Amino acid sequence: MLDRTNALAALRRSALVRDDSGPQRIYRDAAGTIYFSVTTILSATADKSALEGWAKRQDAIYGAGAAEQDRNTAATRGTQAHNQAEFLLKTTNKVARAVANKRGSLRLDPYGLPHIPTPVFKWAMGRTLPGVPPVSLSAKGYAKSLLGWITENVTQCHASEFSIHHPAGFAGTADCLASVAAETLESHGETPSLAGAPFILDWKTSANRRSPEMLADYTLQLGAYSLGLEHLTNIEPAGAFIVVARRVGPPDVTYVNRDQLVLAQDGYLARCRQFFEAIQDA
């Protein structure tokens, strides 16, 4: 059990070196083995016709470069919202663990992960929330949407921003491994008995609702993260949540159960094979 805890803790600092100098982001381990980014593989094997059509329309209406400017703005607001979420969860964990240790109430849960009593975790989150770093005006609504979901639904954070890699040749950083409230699971048709189980959480921001095709790729992305997590720690997530923060109001949330996550693992490995076959033929 302790080995699993220590293995997860090791993922908070990547064992790989990131290299953005080439046309595609890659990672290298100490032996020089190359891993491609999870999102690079998905992007290279995706049908880009809809995205290309959108870019052409934006440039035609607003002038050359408008689509690229929109993408850059979206990336900046996404980074700011992610940074707020990371600060909230990591600081909450630090404060809550200190209190739980002092009270002698920190224990291992049935999944071999440290468990902070939920009231302590929620209290620490309430103390941390007012001190999250500010974001720009353009990102404010999205950050509020995301933090609102986190504070309402997350009951335990096992890791925030953890790095994974896999022998299939991919690597990346997942947003969060957490437990969520029983009410959250029930609202998505899942058994509340999984309230203490670990779930992978993925943060997104979008001005518009995501298309089924984009949500399908987001799900494959979670399949990749779960494969890496299982390979490195032997932790099998019970499922995953895609949380798409919106400028106004609550986020759009997609729940991926365990069976769907396993299918996403297979789907991602298929995209990996497609990707490596393509670069070998190039």
Side-chain angles (χ1 to χ4, degrees):
M1 289 292 195
L2 287 174
D3 287 343
R4 184 176 291 182
T5 301
N6 292 332
L8 181 59
L11 302 189
R12 293 169 190 152
R13 179 174 295 180
S14 177
L16 309 180
V17 176
R18 176 171 155 175
D19 183 356
D20 289 321
S21 62
Q24 297 169 320
R25 177 181 299 171
I26 60 172
Y27 301 84
R28 290 187 177 88
D29 63 16
T33 304
I34 292 177
Y35 301 84
F36 286 84
S37 164
V38 167
T39 51
T40 292
I41 291 172
L42 284 173
S43 177
T45 55
D47 179 0
K48 297 186 178 67
S49 57
L51 182 61
E52 290 169 353
W54 167 83
K56 288 179 180 178
R57 289 192 298 273
Q58 290 293 103
D59 288 353
I61 297 171
Y62 302 108
E68 182 178 1
Q69 184 175 351
D70 281 355
R71 283 193 290 262
N72 291 340
T73 299
T76 299
R77 75 168 183 243
T79 297
Q80 292 183 23
H82 273 72
N83 289 345
Q84 268 203 350
E86 182 181 5
F87 178 91
L88 174 64
L89 290 166
K90 286 186 174 179
T91 306
T92 294
N93 255 4
K94 183 177 180 180
V95 173
R97 285 194 181 208
V99 172
N101 274 322
K102 185 175 181 180
R103 295 180 178 179
S105 58
L106 189 66
R107 59 177 176 79
L108 285 182
D109 66 18
Y111 303 93
L113 299 172
H115 176 80
I116 299 166
T118 299
V120 174
F121 182 84
K122 287 293 193 178
W123 169 84
M125 185 176 285
R127 290 288 299 270
T128 303
L129 186 61
V132 296
V135 298
S136 66
L137 184 61
S138 64
K140 196 169 185 178
Y142 299 95
K144 181 180 179 181
S145 177
L146 179 56
L147 293 191
W149 190 90
I150 291 171
T151 55
E152 184 176 343
N153 296 281
V154 174
T155 59
Q156 198 84 192
C157 177
H158 306 295
S160 178
E161 297 290 324
F162 62 94
S163 299
I164 60 92
H165 60 276
H166 190 274
F170 62 84
T173 302
D175 290 328
C176 187
L177 185 71
S179 298
V180 298
E183 295 80 4
T184 305
L185 294 169
E186 286 184 298
S187 70
H188 291 280
E190 184 58 270
T191 172
S193 63
L194 290 177
F199 291 82
I200 297 179
L201 311 182
D202 189 38
W203 318 132
K204 307 289 185 188
T205 61
S206 178
N208 303 303
R209 295 194 183 280
R210 300 288 77 181
S211 67
E213 292 78 15
M214 294 191 77
L215 287 173
D217 268 11
Y218 293 165
T219 303
L220 294 183
Q221 186 177 349
L222 291 167
Y225 293 149
S226 63
L227 280 168
L229 180 68
E230 291 172 20
H231 167 67
L232 295 168
T233 68
N234 202 32
I235 296 170
E236 291 188 358
F241 287 86
I242 303 165
V243 183
V244 184
R246 304 296 301 278
R247 185 174 64 85
V248 178
D252 297 331
V253 180
T254 300
Y255 174 57
V256 182
N257 65 31
R258 178 63 193 177
D259 290 342
Q260 293 168 329
L261 194 59
V262 171
L263 288 175
Q265 292 177 346
D266 294 339
Y268 188 81
L269 290 175
R271 294 279 281 271
C272 276
R273 290 190 291 271
Q274 181 184 346
F275 174 80
F276 287 111
E277 287 170 2
I279 63 174
Q280 288 171 0
D281 293 340

